[in-house]
Amino acid sequence: TAAVLGILLIVLWVLAVFRVSQRQLSFSAELTNAIKNGNITVAYQPIVDLSTGRCHGAEALARWQREDGEIISPDLFIPVAEKSNSIHKLTLLVIKRVVEEMGQLLATHDQFSININLSAQDLEHPLIALELKHILDSAKLPASAIKFEITERALVNHEDSRKLISKLRRRGHQMAIDDFGTGYSSLSYLETFELDTLKLDKAFVDAIETHAVTSSVIVHIIEMAKSLELDMVAEGIESAHQVQWLANNGVQRGQGYYYSKPLTAAEFLKYHAKQR
Ligand code: C2E
Ligand code: MG
Ligand code: MG
Ligand code: MG
């Protein structure tokens, strides 16, 4: 009976594993379809000058609305898109959406720009720079209209990343390192990439409030950014106290629910129009 029980357990286990992978397969297949059919929308979160409160840019954040209306967080579907090799299509879709929805605003405000997130795989894609140029050229937008965000994780030991970053910068795009402080903590690699902006991760901004880590860590990051001639954007600002602390310590810009949650294109255009 022990052997029978053992076999039974193995069969049950195999079935369970099969069902999980089935579910993952359908999730990923559904996502691939959504990307193919353009069922991805973009939300825009204002990036604000901390001392003046003025908005000179926004971050484009992908949203997937499923057939049943459920909105899936990019934290859940970006990794799936990366695994199933559809991230490149998704990135191009986001860029096209941004150009469609914000093209007018970008063309008429040369101080205004939109940030787009690139994933590690985008950096290794040989055609991305060319495709990008094509989209911007056909919309008659200068490269300075679009900035790119890359996470620390995507930068580590990639010669491809270095080359692409350099190429995009030569073209006139600004490059930001995203979620700074959460990834590989060796700071020396920062020097080896041509970057313009350091985005301080929300975890540090949270710590200003809770004192979970001493704020001296943030002061050191700010010093380092200065010495590398990077400007700074603080992420996830939720209180006036955080704004004051960051501004007093020399951080120029920030984004977060304190200013605005990510908005639909129509909401963002209204938000932007209202402040002038
Ligand atoms: P991220 O690039 O660091 O974007 C900031 C995230 O923090 C956004 O989450 C935003 O909604 C959230 N956030 C902003 N302010 C606050 C705040 O005050 N409080 C809190 N609690 N959260 C705040 P979201 O939109 O869910 O995006 C999650 C991540 O997914 C992004 O993190 C980014 O890494 C990735 N992502 C989003 N869109 C794209 C995309 O088009 N391509 C790629 N490759 N990644 C994307
Ligand atoms: Mg980002
Ligand atoms: Mg970030
Ligand atoms: Mg983040």
Side-chain angles (χ1 to χ4, degrees):
T1 47
V4 172
L5 203 68
I7 289 170
L8 201 69
L9 279 175
I10 290 172
V11 167
L12 282 175
W13 177 77
V14 167
L15 279 176
V17 167
F18 183 70
R19 284 196 52 186
V20 167
S21 66
Q22 270 285 0
R23 211 182 306 142
Q24 275 172 358
L25 186 74
S26 65
F27 187 78
S28 130
E30 201 187 324
L31 175 63
T32 306
N33 254 328
I35 294 171
K36 199 162 52 189
N37 300 329
N39 291 336
I40 302 285
T41 61
V42 175
Y44 297 89
Q45 186 173 41
I47 298 174
V48 174
D49 188 308
L50 298 183
S51 55
T52 63
R54 294 187 62 83
C55 162
H56 295 292
E59 176 171 6
L61 296 158
R63 296 287 178 265
W64 172 23
Q65 186 154 16
R66 285 173 104 172
E67 302 289 330
D68 61 4
E70 189 190 359
I71 294 176
I72 312 278
S73 155
D75 282 328
L76 290 177
F77 71 79
I78 297 291
V80 177
E82 283 174 341
K83 249 197 200 147
S84 57
N85 294 318
S86 45
I87 189 73
H88 181 64
K89 283 214 176 81
L90 176 89
T91 303
L92 291 179
L93 190 60
V94 168
I95 297 172
K96 281 182 196 147
R97 273 281 133 72
V98 166
V99 166
E100 269 165 34
E101 296 176 336
M102 296 295 146
Q104 170 84 7
L105 184 60
L106 290 165
T108 49
H109 297 74
D110 53 357
Q111 294 302 312
F112 184 83
S113 57
I114 300 274
N115 285 20
I116 289 174
N117 293 283
L118 293 180
S119 87
Q121 278 175 37
D122 289 317
L123 298 179
E124 293 162 25
H125 201 287
L127 285 180
I128 184 119
L130 204 68
E131 288 163 328
L132 248 167
K133 188 173 179 338
H134 180 73
I135 297 173
L136 291 178
D137 284 353
S138 36
K140 298 200 167 64
L141 288 174
S144 57
I146 303 292
K147 300 181 181 178
F148 292 103
E149 301 189 3
I150 304 160
T151 58
E152 277 178 276
R153 212 160 32 89
L155 290 186
V156 175
N157 70 41
H158 278 129
E159 191 49 33
D160 290 343
S161 311
R162 199 191 320 274
K163 280 195 200 133
L164 187 71
I165 290 171
S166 176
K167 192 175 200 171
L168 292 175
R169 271 191 96 251
R170 259 181 282 133
R171 242 185 230 162
H173 294 287
Q174 287 196 13
M175 308 297 294
I177 181 158
D178 201 359
D179 301 346
F180 184 80
T182 59
Y184 296 81
S185 42
S186 155
L187 303 178
S188 54
Y189 74 87
L190 264 189
E191 278 181 300
T192 66
F193 293 95
E194 296 171 36
L195 300 164
D196 303 279
T197 304
L198 184 156
K199 293 191 78 174
L200 185 69
D201 192 74
K202 179 177 188 301
F204 294 104
V205 176
D206 287 345
I208 295 170
E209 214 78 306
T210 63
H211 302 283
V213 295
T214 51
S215 43
S216 72
V217 174
I218 314 177
V219 172
H220 277 114
I221 296 176
I222 295 170
E223 286 303 315
M224 182 200 63
K226 258 186 215 143
S227 71
L228 292 171
E229 293 176 357
L230 301 172
D231 63 357
M232 277 183 79
V233 173
E235 301 190 88
I237 297 176
E238 294 183 348
S239 76
H241 175 233
Q242 291 167 333
V243 172
Q244 206 145 53
W245 192 95
L246 290 162
N248 285 345
N249 284 279
V251 175
Q252 303 92 347
R253 288 175 297 145
Q255 64 189 95
Y257 295 172
Y258 175 74
Y259 292 107
S260 171
K261 291 203 168 180
L263 304 169
T264 65
E267 287 167 347
F268 180 78
L269 291 173
K270 235 181 260 166
Y271 168 97
H272 185 267
K274 225 192 306 183
Q275 58 155 18
R276 35 196 56 242

